[in-house]
Amino acid sequence: MSTTARRRHHRPTANSDGVAGNEQLTALTGTVLLAGFAVEGMTLLALGRLLTLHMFLGILLIGPVLLKISSTGYRFIRYYTGSEPYVRKGPPPPIPRLLGPVVILTSLAVLGTGVALALAGPGNGPWLFLHKASFVLWFGAMTVHVLTYAWRLPRILLGTPGNQVRLVSAGGGIRWLAVGVSLAAGLVIALLVMRLATPWGAWTAGL
């Protein structure tokens, strides 16, 4: 086999690995977010006592949320700009494709109003209402999103005989690093915001 023929033979595999790697990054980040939002939801059961933790976790997840939006947005751009591996992979199913923008917008709305609410402090401003309203919309959209994708996570993360891109590979290390950096960025944002959220600390102490 000639050198040119060998390159042509291996190129689709490399491109396919890139598509699978993007899918794994999205799935890995989604798993982190699923766990984080589960803990965040548990704080709602005792919000008066766990309000500080609720705020901190919510702001911490900003980093992974932005990473997941970036990974899904990258696939979107590559598909609609005609990248062959992404076109061959095909678009998401119709319902998730239509629901995706809703999940993104409501996620940003919940997190954005949460940060605004933390900085504004207790009071009669609009942020509490907007935070609750966006949460209701986000919860509905996210429930459908999770039910659509959760069962696929083990196959995507662990790979299959037809998809040998593993999380323990060199590319897998980069994906873990990307998630770690997103969490570190979220932690920095959370620490900065929580330092400015002193009115809520006083309000919680008075409960």
Side-chain angles (χ1 to χ4, degrees):
M1 183 182 295
S2 67
T3 302
T4 302
R6 282 197 298 270
R7 287 177 181 173
R8 289 176 179 174
H9 177 72
H10 288 294
R11 189 176 302 157
T13 301
N15 288 338
S16 298
D17 286 354
V19 174
N22 174 265
E23 186 178 43
Q24 282 191 336
L25 176 60
T26 302
L28 179 60
T29 311
T31 302
V32 171
L33 287 173
L34 186 62
F37 281 128
V39 177
E40 180 80 342
M42 292 175 63
T43 64
L44 294 175
L45 301 177
L47 190 57
R49 292 186 292 106
L50 300 177
L51 181 60
T52 301
L53 177 61
H54 177 81
M55 288 184 175
F56 183 83
L57 286 176
I59 299 171
L60 174 67
L61 294 176
I62 289 176
V65 166
L66 293 179
L67 177 60
K68 189 168 187 293
I69 290 174
S70 298
S71 65
T72 54
Y74 180 80
R75 177 186 173 183
F76 176 90
I77 293 172
R78 294 302 300 274
Y79 175 79
Y80 284 103
T81 54
S83 176
E84 182 183 347
Y86 287 86
V87 171
R88 188 165 56 245
K89 173 71 175 178
I95 293 180
R97 199 188 326 167
L98 294 173
L99 198 63
V102 179
V103 172
I104 291 174
L105 291 175
T106 55
S107 296
L108 294 176
V110 170
L111 296 174
T113 57
V115 171
L117 187 60
L119 296 177
N124 298 318
W127 295 118
L128 181 58
F129 169 77
L130 292 174
H131 187 62
K132 289 180 177 179
S134 58
F135 171 79
V136 171
L137 296 174
W138 171 85
F139 184 80
M142 184 58 68
T143 298
V144 178
H145 180 77
V146 169
L147 292 176
T148 301
Y149 281 106
W151 64 275
R152 299 174 53 198
L153 288 178
R155 177 187 64 79
I156 296 173
L157 293 175
L158 300 178
T160 64
N163 175 13
Q164 297 299 326
V165 181
R166 306 290 180 176
L167 286 176
V168 296
S169 66
I174 294 175
R175 290 186 281 279
W176 279 108
L177 178 62
V179 174
V181 169
S182 72
L183 284 169
L187 177 61
V188 171
I189 297 172
L191 292 174
L192 291 175
V193 171
M194 294 307 293
R195 286 185 62 187
L196 300 175
T198 50
W200 281 108
W203 183 84
T204 304
L207 293 178

